[in-house]
Amino acid sequence: MIDHLLSLQKTEPEYYTDDIIKGLVLVLILAGTDTSAATMEWAMTLLLNHPDVLKKAKAELDIHVGKDRLIEESDLPKLRYLQSIISETLRVFPVAPLLVPHMSSDDCQVGGFDIPGGTLLLINAWAIHRDPQVWEDPTSFIPERFENGERENYKLIPFGTGRRACPGVGLAHRVVGLALGSLIQCYDWKKISKTSIDTTEGKGLTMPKLEPLEAMCKACEIIKTGSLELENNI
Ligand code: HEM
């Protein structure tokens, strides 16, 4: 991407100054890292609290990737259950619960309410995702709900919607999918205590867990075979 911006600098130097390029790269790092990392932490927490879901995800990986090689980005479209886990995690714990503030550029109507131009608008995605009139059993973690086509627009908006929606949505799904898939494929996971892991939300720009996740893991055989395979390919 930096290559692309630098080549644009050659054709439009008055716009693509070093400062603009630095700003673009900075915003991608700021908007893309904590959000993806926090989503991973919530996903692992939910999986540890729902071992049946974790087992089903591992079985899906066994079927579509196998035990002889590590998961690759190209496997992701086949891993529908893993994708449902990510969607369900983002539904229950959207890491940008109020999206980002928007301002109406003109007088408009939203949901029957008259909004004057210049009004600051906040969208409570967290509340929409947990609204019992919109979702059945909204506080439960049920990735299966997405297997039945539960994907209507405006019900699930962890990335916002419309022309100011998150431009990193595709990258986020790939990064979280690959990282989460790798953690599930390569390790056997366990909680550190018998009780459920606390899922209280803390405060922060991207909604963190109040208590950072602690868990135990044991490396699986695939770590050895997968690393050997990687070494041979280098
Ligand atoms: C799980 C991961 C992520 C979540 C939940 C997330 C969520 C969001 C949300 C809610 C917004 C505001 C949308 C709105 O205004 O209504 C946003 C904006 C944005 N995101 Fe993401 N994001 C994620 C990952 C990423 C990644 C990986 C990148 C790029 C590397 C990225 C880049 C951006 C940028 C540049 C904006 C500002 C867009 C604009 O104002 O036009 N995000 N994101």
Side-chain angles (χ1 to χ4, degrees), residues 44-205:
M44 281 307 296
T45 303
L46 290 163
L47 288 175
L48 283 155
N49 278 349
H50 297 84
D52 48 328
V53 175
L54 181 55
K55 201 168 154 196
K56 201 167 155 185
K58 194 141 184 146
E60 182 184 61
L61 280 158
D62 283 351
I63 294 170
H64 293 292
V65 181
K67 291 183 190 260
D68 303 326
R69 66 170 181 87
L70 294 170
I71 177 178
E72 289 166 13
E73 196 184 315
S74 56
D75 294 313
L76 292 177
K78 289 173 275 173
L79 301 169
R80 309 296 305 174
Y81 193 61
L82 182 69
Q83 287 174 32
S84 298
I85 290 171
I86 296 167
S87 296
E88 182 67 342
T89 302
L90 286 164
R91 182 186 70 79
V92 199
F93 294 110
V95 290
L98 298 178
L99 307 184
V100 297
H102 287 253
M103 187 180 281
S104 50
S105 39
D106 271 315
D107 295 354
C108 60
Q109 272 207 339
V110 178
F113 293 93
D114 291 317
I115 313 282
T119 307
L120 187 68
L121 294 161
L122 291 171
I123 290 105
N124 193 339
W126 188 95
I128 295 171
H129 292 177
R130 287 171 182 244
D131 184 345
Q133 293 189 355
V134 176
W135 296 95
E136 213 182 304
D137 196 4
T139 49
S140 297
F141 176 68
I142 311 174
E144 283 74 9
R145 67 174 88 236
F146 291 101
E147 289 180 330
N148 309 324
E150 278 261 41
R151 208 173 283 266
E152 290 161 45
N153 278 347
Y154 308 125
K155 277 177 69 167
L156 184 71
I157 49 167
F159 297 97
T161 185
R163 63 184 165 171
R164 294 307 294 267
C166 174
V169 52
L171 179 62
H173 272 286
R174 286 199 294 280
V175 168
V176 176
L178 194 58
L180 194 62
S182 304
L183 289 180
I184 299 171
Q185 188 194 24
C186 297
Y187 299 93
D188 286 327
W189 292 91
K190 264 201 186 138
K191 289 183 292 180
I192 54 169
S193 78
K194 284 209 169 72
T195 52
S196 279
I197 299 171
D198 182 51
T199 53
T200 310
E201 295 112 338
K203 294 190 186 110
L205 206 55

